[in-house]
Coordinates of all heavy atoms in Angstrom, one line a residue:
M87 N 54.9 27.5 4.1 CA 55.6 28.2 3.0 C 54.9 29.5 2.7 O 53.7 29.6 2.8 CB 55.6 27.3 1.8 CG 56.3 26.0 2.0 SD 56.5 25.0 0.4 CE 54.8 24.4 0.3
P88 N 55.7 30.5 2.3 CA 55.1 31.8 1.9 C 54.2 31.7 0.7 O 54.5 30.9 -0.2 CB 56.3 32.7 1.6 CG 57.4 32.0 2.3 CD 57.1 30.6 2.3
I89 N 53.1 32.4 0.7 CA 52.2 32.4 -0.5 C 52.5 33.6 -1.3 O 52.7 34.7 -0.8 CB 50.7 32.5 0.0 CG1 50.4 31.1 0.7 CG2 49.8 32.7 -1.2 CD1 49.0 31.1 1.2
V90 N 52.7 33.4 -2.6 CA 52.9 34.5 -3.6 C 51.6 34.5 -4.5 O 51.2 33.4 -4.9 CB 54.1 34.3 -4.4 CG1 54.2 35.3 -5.5 CG2 55.4 34.4 -3.5
T91 N 51.1 35.6 -4.8 CA 50.0 35.8 -5.7 C 50.4 36.3 -7.0 O 51.1 37.3 -7.1 CB 48.9 36.7 -5.1 OG1 48.5 36.2 -3.8 CG2 47.7 36.9 -6.0
Y92 N 50.1 35.6 -8.1 CA 50.3 36.0 -9.4 C 49.0 36.6 -10.0 O 48.0 35.8 -10.0 CB 50.8 34.9 -10.3 CG 52.1 34.2 -9.8 CD1 52.1 33.3 -8.8 CD2 53.3 34.5 -10.5 CE1 53.3 32.7 -8.4 CE2 54.5 33.9 -10.1 CZ 54.4 33.0 -9.0 OH 55.6 32.4 -8.6
I93 N 49.0 37.8 -10.5 CA 47.9 38.3 -11.2 C 48.1 38.1 -12.7 O 49.1 38.7 -13.3 CB 47.6 39.8 -10.9 CG1 47.5 40.0 -9.4 CG2 46.4 40.3 -11.6 CD1 47.4 41.4 -8.9
L94 N 47.2 37.3 -13.3 CA 47.4 37.0 -14.7 C 46.9 38.1 -15.6 O 46.3 39.0 -15.2 CB 46.7 35.6 -15.0 CG 47.1 34.5 -14.0 CD1 46.4 33.2 -14.5 CD2 48.6 34.3 -14.0
R95 N 47.1 37.9 -16.9 CA 46.7 38.9 -17.9 C 45.3 39.1 -18.0 O 44.8 40.2 -18.3 CB 47.3 38.5 -19.3 CG 48.8 38.5 -19.4 CD 49.3 37.9 -20.7 NE 50.7 38.0 -20.7 CZ 51.5 37.2 -21.4 NH1 50.9 36.3 -22.2 NH2 52.8 37.4 -21.4
D96 N 44.5 38.1 -17.6 CA 43.0 38.3 -17.6 C 42.5 38.8 -16.2 O 41.3 38.8 -15.9 CB 42.3 37.0 -18.0 CG 42.5 35.9 -17.0 OD1 43.3 36.1 -16.0 OD2 42.0 34.8 -17.2
D97 N 43.4 39.2 -15.3 CA 43.2 39.7 -14.0 C 42.7 38.6 -13.0 O 42.4 38.9 -11.9 CB 42.1 40.9 -14.0 CG 42.7 42.1 -14.5 OD1 43.9 42.4 -14.4 OD2 41.9 42.9 -15.1
S98 N 42.8 37.4 -13.4 CA 42.5 36.3 -12.5 C 43.8 36.2 -11.6 O 44.9 36.7 -12.0 CB 42.2 35.0 -13.2 OG 43.3 34.6 -14.0
R99 N 43.7 35.5 -10.5 CA 44.8 35.4 -9.5 C 45.1 33.9 -9.3 O 44.2 33.1 -9.2 CB 44.4 36.0 -8.2 CG 44.3 37.5 -8.3 CD 43.8 38.1 -7.0 NE 43.8 39.6 -7.1 CZ 44.6 40.3 -6.4 NH1 45.4 39.8 -5.5 NH2 44.6 41.6 -6.5
R100 N 46.4 33.6 -9.2 CA 46.9 32.3 -8.7 C 47.7 32.5 -7.4 O 48.6 33.3 -7.4 CB 47.8 31.7 -9.8 CG 47.1 31.3 -11.1 CD 46.5 29.9 -11.1 NE 47.4 28.9 -10.6 CZ 48.2 28.2 -11.3 NH1 48.4 28.4 -12.6 NH2 48.9 27.2 -10.7
E101 N 47.3 31.8 -6.4 CA 48.0 31.9 -5.1 C 48.8 30.6 -5.0 O 48.2 29.5 -5.1 CB 47.1 32.1 -4.0 CG 46.4 33.5 -4.0 CD 45.6 33.8 -2.7 OE1 45.4 32.8 -1.9 OE2 45.2 34.9 -2.5
I102 N 50.1 30.7 -4.8 CA 50.9 29.5 -4.8 C 51.8 29.5 -3.5 O 52.4 30.6 -3.2 CB 51.8 29.4 -6.1 CG1 50.9 29.3 -7.3 CG2 52.7 28.2 -6.0 CD1 51.6 29.3 -8.6
D103 N 51.8 28.4 -2.8 CA 52.7 28.2 -1.7 C 54.1 27.9 -2.3 O 54.2 26.9 -3.0 CB 52.3 27.0 -0.9 CG 51.4 27.4 0.3 OD1 51.4 28.5 0.7 OD2 50.8 26.4 0.8
I104 N 55.1 28.7 -1.9 CA 56.4 28.5 -2.6 C 57.4 28.2 -1.5 O 57.5 29.0 -0.5 CB 56.8 29.8 -3.4 CG1 55.7 30.1 -4.4 CG2 58.2 29.6 -4.0 CD1 56.0 31.3 -5.3
P105 N 58.2 27.2 -1.7 CA 59.3 26.9 -0.7 C 60.3 28.0 -0.6 O 60.7 28.6 -1.6 CB 59.9 25.6 -1.2 CG 58.9 25.0 -2.1 CD 58.2 26.2 -2.7
I106 N 60.7 28.3 0.6 CA 61.8 29.3 0.8 C 63.0 28.9 0.0 O 63.4 27.7 -0.1 CB 62.1 29.4 2.3 CG1 60.9 30.1 3.0 CG2 63.4 30.2 2.5 CD1 60.9 30.1 4.5
G107 N 63.6 29.9 -0.7 CA 64.8 29.6 -1.5 C 64.5 29.4 -3.0 O 65.4 29.3 -3.8
T108 N 63.2 29.3 -3.3 CA 62.7 29.1 -4.7 C 62.5 30.5 -5.3 O 61.9 31.4 -4.6 CB 61.4 28.3 -4.7 OG1 61.7 27.1 -4.1 CG2 61.0 28.1 -6.2
S109 N 62.8 30.7 -6.5 CA 62.5 32.0 -7.2 C 61.0 32.1 -7.6 O 60.4 31.0 -7.8 CB 63.4 32.3 -8.3 OG 63.0 31.5 -9.5
V110 N 60.5 33.3 -7.7 CA 59.2 33.5 -8.2 C 59.0 32.9 -9.6 O 58.0 32.4 -10.0 CB 58.8 35.0 -8.1 CG1 57.5 35.3 -8.8 CG2 58.8 35.4 -6.6
M111 N 60.1 33.0 -10.4 CA 60.0 32.4 -11.8 C 59.9 30.9 -11.7 O 59.1 30.3 -12.4 CB 61.3 32.9 -12.5 CG 61.4 32.2 -13.9 SD 62.1 30.6 -13.9 CE 63.8 30.9 -13.7
E112 N 60.8 30.3 -10.9 CA 60.8 28.8 -10.8 C 59.4 28.3 -10.4 O 58.9 27.3 -11.0 CB 61.9 28.3 -9.8 CG 63.3 28.5 -10.3 CD 64.3 28.3 -9.2 OE1 64.0 28.6 -8.0 OE2 65.4 27.8 -9.5
A113 N 58.8 28.9 -9.4 CA 57.5 28.5 -8.9 C 56.5 28.7 -10.0 O 55.6 27.8 -10.2 CB 57.1 29.3 -7.7
A114 N 56.6 29.7 -10.8 CA 55.6 29.9 -11.9 C 55.7 28.8 -12.9 O 54.7 28.3 -13.4 CB 55.9 31.3 -12.5
I115 N 56.9 28.5 -13.3 CA 57.1 27.4 -14.3 C 56.6 26.1 -13.7 O 55.9 25.3 -14.4 CB 58.6 27.3 -14.7 CG1 59.1 28.6 -15.3 CG2 58.8 26.1 -15.6 CD1 58.4 29.0 -16.6
Q116 N 56.9 25.8 -12.5 CA 56.5 24.5 -11.9 C 55.0 24.4 -11.8 O 54.4 23.3 -11.9 CB 57.1 24.4 -10.5 CG 58.6 24.1 -10.5 CD 59.3 24.4 -9.1 OE1 58.6 24.6 -8.2 NE2 60.6 24.3 -9.1
H117 N 54.3 25.5 -11.7 CA 52.9 25.5 -11.5 C 52.1 26.0 -12.8 O 50.9 26.3 -12.7 CB 52.5 26.3 -10.3 CG 52.9 25.7 -9.0 ND1 54.2 25.9 -8.5 CD2 52.3 24.9 -8.1 CE1 54.3 25.2 -7.3 NE2 53.2 24.6 -7.1
N118 N 52.8 26.1 -13.9 CA 52.2 26.4 -15.1 C 51.5 27.8 -15.1 O 50.3 27.9 -15.5 CB 51.2 25.3 -15.6 CG 52.0 24.1 -16.0 OD1 53.0 24.1 -16.6 ND2 51.4 22.9 -15.5
V119 N 52.1 28.8 -14.5 CA 51.5 30.1 -14.5 C 51.8 30.7 -15.8 O 53.0 30.9 -16.2 CB 52.2 31.0 -13.4 CG1 51.7 32.4 -13.5 CG2 51.9 30.4 -12.0
R120 N 50.8 31.0 -16.6 CA 50.9 31.5 -17.9 C 51.5 32.9 -17.9 O 51.1 33.7 -17.1 CB 49.6 31.5 -18.7 CG 49.1 30.1 -18.9 CD 47.8 30.2 -19.7 NE 46.8 31.1 -19.2 CZ 45.9 30.8 -18.3 NH1 45.9 29.6 -17.8 NH2 45.1 31.8 -17.9
G121 N 52.4 33.2 -18.9 CA 52.9 34.6 -19.0 C 54.3 34.8 -18.5 O 54.8 35.9 -18.7
I122 N 54.9 33.8 -17.8 CA 56.3 33.9 -17.5 C 57.0 32.9 -18.3 O 56.9 31.7 -18.1 CB 56.5 33.7 -15.9 CG1 55.8 34.9 -15.2 CG2 58.0 33.6 -15.6 CD1 56.0 34.8 -13.7
D123 N 57.7 33.4 -19.3 CA 58.3 32.4 -20.3 C 59.7 31.9 -19.8 O 60.0 30.7 -20.0 CB 58.5 33.1 -21.6 CG 57.2 33.5 -22.2 OD1 56.1 33.0 -21.8 OD2 57.2 34.4 -23.1
A124 N 60.5 32.8 -19.2 CA 61.8 32.3 -18.6 C 62.6 31.6 -19.6 O 63.1 30.5 -19.3 CB 61.5 31.6 -17.3
E125 N 62.8 32.1 -20.8 CA 63.5 31.4 -21.8 C 65.0 31.0 -21.5 O 65.5 30.0 -22.0 CB 63.5 32.2 -23.1 CG 62.2 32.3 -23.7 CD 62.1 33.3 -24.9 OE1 63.2 33.9 -25.3 OE2 61.0 33.5 -25.4
C126 N 65.6 31.7 -20.6 CA 67.0 31.4 -20.3 C 67.1 30.5 -19.0 O 68.2 30.2 -18.6 CB 67.8 32.7 -20.1 SG 67.6 33.5 -18.5
G127 N 66.0 30.2 -18.4 CA 66.0 29.3 -17.3 C 66.5 30.0 -16.0 O 66.9 29.3 -15.0
G128 N 66.6 31.3 -16.0 CA 67.1 32.0 -14.8 C 68.5 32.5 -14.8 O 69.1 32.8 -13.8
C129 N 69.1 32.5 -16.0 CA 70.5 32.9 -16.1 C 70.7 34.4 -16.3 O 71.8 34.8 -16.6 CB 71.1 32.2 -17.3 SG 71.2 30.4 -17.2
L130 N 69.6 35.1 -16.2 CA 69.6 36.5 -16.3 C 70.1 37.0 -17.7 O 70.9 37.9 -17.8 CB 70.5 37.1 -15.2 CG 70.3 38.6 -14.8 CD1 68.9 38.9 -14.5 CD2 71.2 39.0 -13.6
S131 N 69.6 36.3 -18.7 CA 70.0 36.7 -20.1 C 68.8 36.8 -21.0 O 69.0 36.9 -22.2 CB 71.0 35.8 -20.6 OG 70.5 34.5 -20.7
C132 N 67.5 36.8 -20.5 CA 66.4 36.9 -21.5 C 65.4 37.9 -21.2 O 64.8 38.4 -22.1 CB 65.8 35.5 -21.6 SG 64.7 35.1 -20.2
A133 N 65.2 38.3 -20.0 CA 64.2 39.2 -19.5 C 62.7 38.8 -19.9 O 61.8 39.6 -19.9 CB 64.5 40.6 -20.1
T134 N 62.5 37.5 -20.1 CA 61.1 37.0 -20.4 C 60.5 36.5 -19.1 O 59.5 35.7 -19.2 CB 61.1 36.0 -21.5 OG1 61.9 34.8 -21.1 CG2 61.7 36.5 -22.8
C135 N 61.0 36.9 -18.0 CA 60.4 36.6 -16.7 C 59.9 37.8 -16.0 O 59.8 37.8 -14.8 CB 61.4 35.8 -15.8 SG 62.8 36.7 -15.4
H136 N 59.7 38.9 -16.8 CA 59.4 40.2 -16.3 C 58.0 40.2 -15.5 O 57.1 39.5 -15.9 CB 59.3 41.2 -17.5 CG 58.9 42.5 -17.2 ND1 58.2 43.3 -18.1 CD2 59.1 43.3 -16.1 CE1 58.0 44.5 -17.5 NE2 58.5 44.5 -16.3
V137 N 58.0 40.8 -14.3 CA 56.8 41.0 -13.6 C 56.7 42.4 -13.0 O 57.8 43.1 -12.9 CB 56.6 40.0 -12.4 CG1 56.5 38.6 -12.9 CG2 57.8 40.1 -11.4
Y138 N 55.5 42.8 -12.7 CA 55.3 44.1 -12.0 C 55.0 43.7 -10.5 O 54.1 43.0 -10.2 CB 54.2 44.9 -12.5 CG 54.4 45.3 -14.0 CD1 53.6 44.9 -15.0 CD2 55.5 46.2 -14.3 CE1 53.8 45.2 -16.3 CE2 55.7 46.5 -15.7 CZ 54.8 46.1 -16.6 OH 55.0 46.4 -18.0
V139 N 55.8 44.2 -9.6 CA 55.6 43.9 -8.2 C 54.7 45.0 -7.6 O 54.8 46.2 -7.8 CB 57.0 44.0 -7.4 CG1 56.8 43.8 -5.9 CG2 57.9 42.9 -8.0
D140 N 53.7 44.4 -6.9 CA 52.7 45.3 -6.2 C 53.4 46.2 -5.3 O 54.4 45.9 -4.6 CB 51.7 44.4 -5.4 CG 50.7 45.1 -4.7 OD1 49.8 45.6 -5.4 OD2 50.7 45.2 -3.5
D141 N 52.9 47.5 -5.2 CA 53.6 48.5 -4.4 C 53.8 48.0 -2.9 O 54.8 48.2 -2.4 CB 52.7 49.8 -4.3 CG 53.0 50.6 -5.6 OD1 54.0 50.3 -6.3 OD2 52.2 51.6 -5.8
A142 N 52.7 47.4 -2.4 CA 52.8 47.0 -1.0 C 53.8 45.9 -0.7 O 54.3 45.7 0.4 CB 51.4 46.6 -0.5
S143 N 54.2 45.2 -1.8 CA 55.1 44.1 -1.7 C 56.6 44.5 -1.9 O 57.5 43.8 -1.4 CB 54.8 43.0 -2.7 OG 53.5 42.6 -2.6
S144 N 56.8 45.6 -2.5 CA 58.1 45.9 -2.9 C 59.1 46.2 -1.8 O 60.3 45.9 -1.9 CB 58.1 47.1 -3.9 OG 57.6 48.2 -3.2
A145 N 58.5 46.6 -0.6 CA 59.4 46.9 0.5 C 60.0 45.6 1.1 O 61.0 45.6 1.8 CB 58.6 47.6 1.6
T146 N 59.4 44.5 0.8 CA 59.8 43.2 1.4 C 61.0 42.6 0.5 O 61.6 41.6 0.9 CB 58.7 42.2 1.4 OG1 58.3 41.8 0.1 CG2 57.5 42.7 2.2
L147 N 61.3 43.2 -0.6 CA 62.3 42.6 -1.5 C 63.6 43.3 -1.4 O 63.7 44.5 -1.2 CB 61.8 42.7 -3.0 CG 60.4 42.1 -3.3 CD1 60.1 42.3 -4.7 CD2 60.5 40.6 -2.9
A148 N 64.7 42.5 -1.6 CA 66.0 43.1 -1.8 C 66.0 43.9 -3.1 O 65.3 43.5 -4.1 CB 67.0 42.1 -1.8
P149 N 66.7 45.1 -3.1 CA 66.7 45.9 -4.3 C 67.3 45.1 -5.5 O 68.2 44.2 -5.3 CB 67.5 47.1 -4.0 CG 68.0 46.9 -2.6 CD 67.4 45.7 -2.0
A150 N 67.0 45.4 -6.7 CA 67.6 44.8 -7.9 C 69.0 45.2 -8.0 O 69.4 46.3 -7.7 CB 66.8 45.2 -9.1
E151 N 69.9 44.2 -8.4 CA 71.3 44.5 -8.6 C 71.5 45.0 -10.0 O 70.6 45.0 -10.8 CB 72.1 43.2 -8.3 CG 72.0 42.8 -6.8 CD 73.0 41.8 -6.4 OE1 73.8 41.4 -7.2 OE2 72.9 41.3 -5.3
A152 N 72.7 45.5 -10.2 CA 73.0 46.2 -11.5 C 72.7 45.3 -12.7 O 72.2 45.8 -13.7 CB 74.5 46.6 -11.5
E153 N 73.0 44.0 -12.7 CA 72.8 43.1 -13.9 C 71.3 43.0 -14.2 O 70.9 43.0 -15.3 CB 73.3 41.7 -13.6 CG 74.9 41.7 -13.5 CD 75.3 41.9 -12.1 OE1 74.5 42.3 -11.2 OE2 76.6 41.8 -11.9
E154 N 70.5 42.9 -13.1 CA 69.0 42.9 -13.3 C 68.5 44.2 -13.9 O 67.7 44.2 -14.8 CB 68.3 42.6 -12.0 CG 66.8 42.5 -12.2 CD 66.0 42.2 -10.9 OE1 66.7 41.9 -9.9 OE2 64.8 42.3 -10.9
L155 N 69.0 45.3 -13.4 CA 68.6 46.6 -13.9 C 68.9 46.8 -15.3 O 68.2 47.3 -16.1 CB 69.2 47.7 -13.0 CG 68.7 47.8 -11.6 CD1 69.5 48.8 -10.8 CD2 67.2 48.2 -11.5
D156 N 70.1 46.3 -15.7 CA 70.5 46.3 -17.2 C 69.5 45.5 -18.0 O 69.1 45.9 -19.1 CB 71.9 45.8 -17.3 CG 73.0 46.8 -16.8 OD1 72.6 48.0 -16.6 OD2 74.2 46.4 -16.7
M157 N 69.2 44.3 -17.5 CA 68.3 43.4 -18.3 C 66.9 44.0 -18.4 O 66.2 43.7 -19.4 CB 68.3 42.0 -17.7 CG 69.5 41.2 -17.9 SD 69.9 40.9 -19.6 CE 68.5 40.1 -20.2
L158 N 66.5 44.7 -17.4 CA 65.2 45.3 -17.5 C 65.0 46.3 -18.6 O 63.9 46.6 -19.0 CB 64.8 46.0 -16.1 CG 64.4 45.0 -15.0 CD1 64.5 45.7 -13.6 CD2 63.1 44.4 -15.3
D159 N 66.2 46.8 -19.1 CA 66.1 47.6 -20.3 C 65.5 46.9 -21.5 O 65.1 47.5 -22.5 CB 67.5 48.2 -20.7 CG 68.0 49.2 -19.7 OD1 67.1 49.8 -19.0 OD2 69.2 49.5 -19.6
G160 N 65.6 45.6 -21.5 CA 65.2 44.8 -22.7 C 63.9 44.1 -22.6 O 63.5 43.3 -23.4
V161 N 63.0 44.5 -21.6 CA 61.7 43.8 -21.4 C 60.8 44.2 -22.6 O 61.0 45.3 -23.2 CB 61.0 44.1 -20.1 CG1 61.9 43.6 -18.9 CG2 60.8 45.6 -19.9
A162 N 59.9 43.3 -23.0 CA 59.1 43.5 -24.2 C 58.0 44.5 -23.8 O 57.6 45.3 -24.7 CB 58.5 42.2 -24.6
D163 N 57.4 44.4 -22.6 CA 56.4 45.4 -22.3 C 57.0 46.6 -21.6 O 58.2 46.7 -21.5 CB 55.4 44.7 -21.3 CG 54.0 45.2 -21.4 OD1 53.8 46.4 -21.8 OD2 53.0 44.5 -21.1
E164 N 56.1 47.5 -21.2 CA 56.6 48.8 -20.6 C 57.4 48.5 -19.4 O 57.0 47.7 -18.5 CB 55.4 49.6 -20.2 CG 55.7 50.9 -19.5 CD 54.4 51.6 -19.0 OE1 53.3 51.0 -19.1 OE2 54.6 52.7 -18.4
R165 N 58.6 49.1 -19.3 CA 59.3 49.1 -18.0 C 58.8 50.1 -17.1 O 58.7 51.3 -17.4 CB 60.8 49.3 -18.3 CG 61.6 49.2 -17.0 CD 63.1 49.4 -17.2 NE 63.8 49.4 -15.9 CZ 65.1 49.5 -15.8 NH1 65.9 49.5 -16.9 NH2 65.7 49.5 -14.6
R166 N 58.5 49.7 -15.9 CA 58.0 50.6 -14.9 C 58.9 50.6 -13.6 O 59.7 49.7 -13.5 CB 56.6 50.2 -14.5 CG 55.6 50.2 -15.6 CD 54.2 49.7 -15.1 NE 53.3 49.4 -16.2 CZ 52.2 48.7 -16.1 NH1 51.9 48.1 -14.9 NH2 51.5 48.4 -17.1
P167 N 58.7 51.5 -12.7 CA 59.5 51.5 -11.5 C 59.3 50.2 -10.7 O 60.3 49.8 -10.0 CB 58.9 52.7 -10.7 CG 58.4 53.6 -11.7 CD 57.8 52.8 -12.8
E168 N 58.2 49.6 -10.8 CA 57.9 48.3 -10.1 C 58.3 47.1 -10.9 O 58.0 46.0 -10.5 CB 56.4 48.2 -9.6 CG 55.4 48.1 -10.8 CD 54.9 49.4 -11.3 OE1 55.6 50.4 -11.2 OE2 53.8 49.4 -11.8
S169 N 59.0 47.3 -12.0 CA 59.4 46.1 -12.8 C 60.5 45.4 -12.1 O 61.5 46.0 -11.6 CB 59.9 46.6 -14.2 OG 58.8 47.1 -15.0
R170 N 60.4 44.0 -12.2 CA 61.5 43.2 -11.7 C 61.5 41.9 -12.6 O 60.6 41.6 -13.3 CB 61.2 42.7 -10.2 CG 61.3 43.8 -9.2 CD 62.7 44.4 -9.0 NE 63.7 43.4 -8.6 CZ 64.1 43.1 -7.4 NH1 63.5 43.7 -6.4 NH2 65.0 42.2 -7.2
L171 N 62.7 41.2 -12.5 CA 62.8 39.9 -13.2 C 62.5 38.9 -12.1 O 63.2 38.8 -11.1 CB 64.1 39.8 -13.8 CG 64.5 40.8 -14.9 CD1 65.9 40.5 -15.5 CD2 63.4 40.7 -16.1
S172 N 61.5 38.0 -12.4 CA 61.0 37.1 -11.3 C 62.1 36.0 -11.0 O 62.0 35.4 -10.0 CB 59.7 36.5 -11.7 OG 59.8 35.8 -12.9
C173 N 63.0 35.8 -11.9 CA 64.1 34.8 -11.6 C 65.0 35.4 -10.5 O 65.8 34.6 -10.0 CB 64.9 34.4 -12.9 SG 65.9 35.7 -13.6
Q174 N 65.0 36.7 -10.3 CA 65.9 37.3 -9.3 C 65.2 37.5 -8.0 O 65.8 38.1 -7.1 CB 66.4 38.6 -9.9 CG 67.2 38.4 -11.2 CD 68.4 37.4 -11.0 OE1 69.3 37.6 -10.2 NE2 68.3 36.3 -11.8
I175 N 63.9 37.2 -7.9 CA 63.2 37.3 -6.7 C 63.1 36.0 -6.0 O 62.4 35.1 -6.4 CB 61.7 37.9 -6.9 CG1 61.8 39.2 -7.7 CG2 61.0 38.0 -5.6 CD1 60.4 39.7 -8.1
V176 N 63.8 35.8 -4.9 CA 63.9 34.5 -4.2 C 63.0 34.7 -3.0 O 63.0 35.6 -2.2 CB 65.3 34.2 -3.8 CG1 65.3 32.9 -2.9 CG2 66.2 34.0 -5.0
V177 N 62.1 33.7 -2.8 CA 61.2 33.7 -1.7 C 61.9 33.5 -0.4 O 62.7 32.6 -0.2 CB 60.1 32.6 -1.9 CG1 59.2 32.4 -0.7 CG2 59.2 33.0 -3.1
T178 N 61.5 34.3 0.6 CA 62.1 34.2 2.0 C 60.8 34.4 2.9 O 59.7 34.7 2.4 CB 63.0 35.4 2.3 OG1 62.3 36.6 2.3 CG2 64.1 35.5 1.2
P179 N 61.0 34.2 4.2 CA 59.9 34.4 5.1 C 59.4 35.9 5.0 O 58.2 36.1 5.1 CB 60.5 34.1 6.5 CG 61.6 33.2 6.2 CD 62.2 33.6 4.9
D180 N 60.2 36.8 4.6 CA 59.8 38.2 4.5 C 58.9 38.5 3.3 O 58.2 39.5 3.2 CB 61.0 39.1 4.5 CG 61.8 39.2 5.8 OD1 61.2 38.8 6.8 OD2 63.0 39.5 5.7
T181 N 59.0 37.6 2.3 CA 58.2 37.8 1.1 C 56.8 37.2 1.1 O 56.1 37.3 0.1 CB 58.9 37.3 -0.2 OG1 59.2 35.9 0.0 CG2 60.3 38.0 -0.4
A182 N 56.4 36.7 2.3 CA 55.0 36.2 2.4 C 54.0 37.3 2.0 O 54.2 38.4 2.5 CB 54.8 35.7 3.8
G183 N 53.1 37.0 1.2 CA 52.1 37.9 0.7 C 52.5 38.7 -0.5 O 51.8 39.6 -0.9
L184 N 53.6 38.4 -1.1 CA 54.1 39.0 -2.3 C 53.0 38.9 -3.4 O 52.5 37.8 -3.6 CB 55.4 38.4 -2.7 CG 56.0 38.9 -4.0 CD1 56.5 40.3 -3.9 CD2 57.2 38.0 -4.5
V185 N 52.8 40.0 -4.1 CA 51.9 40.0 -5.2 C 52.6 40.5 -6.5 O 53.3 41.6 -6.4 CB 50.7 40.9 -5.0 CG1 49.7 41.0 -6.2 CG2 49.9 40.5 -3.7
V186 N 52.6 39.7 -7.6 CA 53.2 40.2 -8.8 C 52.2 40.1 -9.9 O 51.4 39.2 -10.0 CB 54.5 39.3 -9.1 CG1 55.5 39.5 -8.1 CG2 54.1 37.8 -9.3
R187 N 52.3 41.0 -10.8 CA 51.4 41.0 -12.0 C 52.2 40.7 -13.3 O 53.3 41.2 -13.5 CB 50.8 42.4 -12.2 CG 49.9 42.6 -13.4 CD 49.2 44.0 -13.5 NE 48.2 44.1 -12.5 CZ 46.9 43.7 -12.7 NH1 46.6 43.1 -13.8 NH2 46.0 44.0 -11.7
I188 N 51.6 39.8 -14.1 CA 52.2 39.4 -15.3 C 52.0 40.5 -16.4 O 50.9 40.9 -16.6 CB 51.6 38.1 -15.8 CG1 51.5 37.0 -14.7 CG2 52.3 37.6 -17.1 CD1 52.8 36.5 -14.3
P189 N 53.0 40.9 -17.1 CA 52.8 41.9 -18.1 C 52.1 41.3 -19.3 O 52.0 40.1 -19.5 CB 54.3 42.3 -18.6 CG 55.2 41.5 -17.7 CD 54.4 40.5 -16.9
S190 N 51.6 42.2 -20.2 CA 50.8 41.7 -21.3 C 51.7 41.0 -22.4 O 51.2 40.2 -23.2 CB 50.0 42.8 -22.0 OG 50.9 43.8 -22.4
R191 N 53.0 41.3 -22.4 CA 53.9 40.7 -23.4 C 55.2 40.3 -22.7 O 55.6 41.0 -21.8 CB 54.3 41.7 -24.5 CG 53.1 42.2 -25.3 CD 53.6 43.0 -26.5 NE 54.0 44.4 -26.0 CZ 55.1 45.1 -26.4 NH1 55.9 44.6 -27.2 NH2 55.3 46.3 -25.9
Q192 N 55.8 39.3 -23.2 CA 57.2 38.9 -22.7 C 58.2 38.9 -23.8 O 59.4 39.3 -23.5 CB 57.2 37.5 -22.0 CG 56.5 37.4 -20.7 CD 57.2 38.2 -19.6 OE1 58.2 38.9 -19.7 NE2 56.7 38.0 -18.4
G193 N 57.9 38.5 -24.9 CA 59.0 38.4 -25.9 C 58.6 38.8 -27.3 O 57.5 39.2 -27.5
Ligands
LIG356 FE1 65.8 34.8 -18.2 FE2 64.9 35.7 -15.8 S1 64.5 33.8 -16.7 S2 66.2 36.7 -17.2

């Protein structure tokens, strides 16, 4: 299974083996990764699953679709070019080595 690294607010790291087809948000909730709230459960209506994708990882991801880009306008922390909603990042063989940073605030 591909490994995804979550960089937490205190700069510690959690490396998690994630089954293909699982979202980065779902895996975070299942493994109690602090800082991804995911209040809507992945329905693309809360923006509390915001993450910053490491530059080196971004090329492995499909670009955000229009609905995700709209929701990113509502994130609690700073929106940056590398901002994504983790419920919309689905793990594939290509995303092995993905690194995401948890923002300091979600809601
Ligand atoms: Fe609500 Fe991602 S979990 S938008």
Side-chain angles (χ1 to χ4, degrees):
M87 294 188 287
I89 292 177
V90 172
T91 301
Y92 298 80
I93 303 175
L94 307 184
R95 292 173 178 155
D96 64 1
D97 287 330
S98 63
R99 292 173 173 249
R100 294 273 312 271
E101 292 187 350
I102 299 176
D103 265 342
I104 301 180
I106 289 170
T108 303
S109 76
V110 169
M111 176 278 284
E112 290 169 325
I115 298 300
Q116 290 165 3
H117 292 86
N118 294 317
V119 174
R120 294 183 311 272
I122 294 182
D123 297 343
E125 290 172 2
C126 77
C129 296
L130 202 51
S131 62
C132 73
T134 62
C135 62
H136 178 209
V137 293
Y138 299 117
V139 175
D140 182 73
D141 279 349
S143 301
S144 58
T146 66
L147 302 180
E151 295 192 4
E153 294 87 353
E154 181 182 352
L155 293 172
D156 286 347
M157 285 303 299
L158 283 166
D159 286 340
V161 296
D163 207 334
E164 176 188 4
R165 179 178 177 173
R166 301 178 190 163
E168 66 270 29
S169 290
R170 292 294 303 264
L171 295 179
S172 58
C173 68
Q174 301 302 302
I175 303 173
V176 176
V177 170
T178 71
D180 292 340
T181 58
L184 176 68
V185 178
V186 298
R187 177 178 287 277
I188 309 292
S190 59
R191 300 183 282 139
Q192 287 290 10

